[in-house]
Amino acid sequence: MNWRLANGLLELELATRPCNEISTKALEQLESFLPSLKGARALVIHSTVEAGFCAGADLRELYTRGRNLESDERVARVRDFLMRIHRVLDTIDAAPIPTIAAVHGVCFGGGLELALACDMIVADQTARFAFPELRLGLIPGFGGIPRLRRDISNALVRDLLFTGRSLNARRAHEAGLISQVVKPGATRRAALGAAAQALKFDTRAVAACKAFAKPLVRDETRQEIEVFLELFEREAVQDALKRFVENDGPMPYLA
Amino acid sequence: MDSPAATTTKLLDLAAEHFGVDRAALRPTDDFFATLGIDSLQVLELLTKLEAHFSVELPDYELQGVTDFSTLAARIHDRLA
């Protein structure tokens, strides 16, 4: 993960194979990145990994680090992780500057939650969006449901959650989840173009506009942590995580 | 609307083109994971390609248990208007 600030534009580049899974290390990097927001007037987040933007939480780490712990300790560690990732996403969500996720390929689970924390999602035709958490007996844990519900209709929210299916860029555009669709490989350029335009505007007006146009959902995301933890500690979820991690089939997310 | 056989033929054309394999080597009954040598992320690429070409939405769960081209083509055909 890399970031650079130049002429007011902050770029966060996700660059961890296979698909920018959000591990403890990635969380630490995101926490280190946050102070850079203070000097920025626009943010673009993109991925240099071919598979996509981000495949979500690192489930392998979640399972392997917790499997030998007592229940209380396991829940405490997951709670700490959730509180920290919520702080990161809440900070991006509320930053008084335009924030843009440039998405290609896989944008699943925690990856979609990262994108949803941004003000705009620009995607190319290869992008797919999904919340597959219910397959594991969980709900999205990084603020996904409140933020998805903020942006699109409840009918599609429930469809995506209850089926775990992935949505292509065209449908996501029709649904209002993403605001621009571009040809494959052109997301970063499109996002930088939008950011460059936003940089021309008065910063105070932009901040006021954002505060007015983008309702924050912190109360709901706090509730979500408690619901997630209640679900997480059940034996069925631990079994599902084990199956997912040990699955060497070609489509583990459909198992 | 095309026949199921035509859908299968087009599916094989698209898969060969997208993954750069010899079209003549592909058969409707082939296991597409094995024949194309693709993983779960590449299956999503194929899904995106198929949805765009056939102007259809093909939910991932419709692919559960599907491994051969002809069954995949039938699932697409079932969703075509």
Side-chain angles (χ1 to χ4, degrees):
Chain A
M1 197 179 297
N2 308 291
W3 55 91
R4 55 186 168 269
L5 176 63
N7 302 317
L9 174 65
L10 179 61
E11 270 195 85
L12 173 61
E13 182 179 274
L14 310 176
T16 307
R17 291 178 186 278
C19 195
N20 298 314
E21 285 76 8
I22 301 175
S23 61
T24 305
K25 184 180 175 191
L27 173 59
E28 288 167 358
Q29 291 176 318
L30 286 168
E31 288 173 329
S32 298
F33 152 80
L34 283 186
S36 302
L37 281 167
K38 289 200 188 313
R41 290 191 290 122
L43 167 68
V44 169
I45 305 177
H46 69 98
S47 162
T48 57
V49 172
E50 186 182 355
F53 181 74
C54 174
D58 187 339
L59 297 178
R60 188 170 298 279
E61 180 188 87
L62 179 67
Y63 173 68
T64 54
R65 288 199 174 181
R67 66 182 163 183
N68 295 323
L69 298 176
E70 293 297 321
S71 173
D72 289 353
E73 176 68 8
R74 184 161 51 224
V75 170
R77 287 195 183 197
V78 174
R79 179 186 293 279
D80 177 66
F81 188 98
L82 291 176
M83 297 296 283
R84 290 168 61 191
I85 190 71
H86 273 252
R87 179 176 162 267
V88 169
L89 297 186
D90 285 351
T91 303
I92 293 171
D93 198 349
I97 59 173
T99 55
I100 305 169
V103 174
H104 71 278
V106 171
C107 185
F108 282 12
L112 179 49
E113 290 169 304
L114 173 59
L116 283 167
C118 296
D119 302 332
M120 293 167 54
I121 303 175
V122 173
D124 78 13
Q125 292 156 343
T126 68
R128 296 198 77 91
F129 303 86
F131 274 134
E133 284 83 353
L134 267 79
R135 294 182 194 281
L136 299 171
L138 290 168
I139 61 168
F142 301 171
I145 295 176
R147 290 197 174 100
L148 186 65
R149 205 162 53 187
R150 176 172 67 183
D151 287 350
I152 68 173
S153 80
N154 273 319
L156 186 57
V157 170
R158 289 189 292 268
D159 180 340
L160 292 176
L161 291 168
F162 294 159
T163 68
R165 74 183 176 103
S166 60
L167 212 58
N168 66 32
R170 185 182 59 79
R171 277 290 289 126
H173 190 219
E174 288 170 359
L177 176 64
I178 63 181
S179 55
Q180 297 183 29
V181 184
V182 297
K183 68 181 180 182
T187 53
R188 178 171 172 264
R189 181 175 174 179
L192 291 177
Q197 175 63 15
L199 281 171
K200 296 176 185 171
F201 299 157
D202 176 74
T203 52
R204 189 167 164 194
V206 168
C209 178
K210 178 158 173 174
F212 191 59
K214 189 184 189 192
L216 300 179
V217 288
R218 283 186 180 164
D219 290 346
E220 289 176 79
T221 56
R222 290 293 174 272
Q223 290 172 27
E224 180 203 79
I225 291 175
E226 300 308 320
V227 176
F228 183 95
L229 290 171
E230 276 180 34
L231 293 169
F232 175 75
E233 198 35 32
R234 294 173 308 139
E235 196 175 329
V237 171
Q238 301 307 312
D239 291 346
L241 280 172
K242 183 172 189 284
R243 278 197 304 277
F244 181 88
V245 168
E246 293 178 352
N247 188 327
D248 59 357
M251 297 180 76
Y253 73 97
L254 283 185
Chain B
M1 185 170 61
D2 286 340
S3 68
T7 303
T8 303
T9 299
K10 192 63 205 174
L11 166 58
L12 293 171
D13 291 345
L14 289 167
E17 179 194 354
H18 187 74
F19 294 107
V21 299
D22 181 6
R23 170 65 180 85
L26 299 182
R27 300 280 181 275
T29 53
D30 284 347
D31 179 323
F32 50 80
F33 290 111
T35 309
L36 300 173
I38 59 177
D39 60 21
S40 59
L41 296 178
Q42 290 170 308
V43 170
L44 291 172
E45 283 179 30
L46 180 61
L47 184 59
T48 302
K49 189 95 179 170
L50 297 175
E51 287 182 329
H53 178 82
F54 292 104
S55 297
V56 68
E57 225 178 337
L58 191 62
D60 312 43
Y61 54 81
E62 292 280 1
L63 301 184
Q64 280 174 353
V66 176
T67 55
D68 64 283
F69 290 108
S70 58
T71 307
L72 176 55
R75 298 288 165 90
I76 295 167
H77 195 77
D78 288 346
R79 285 200 156 243
L80 292 173

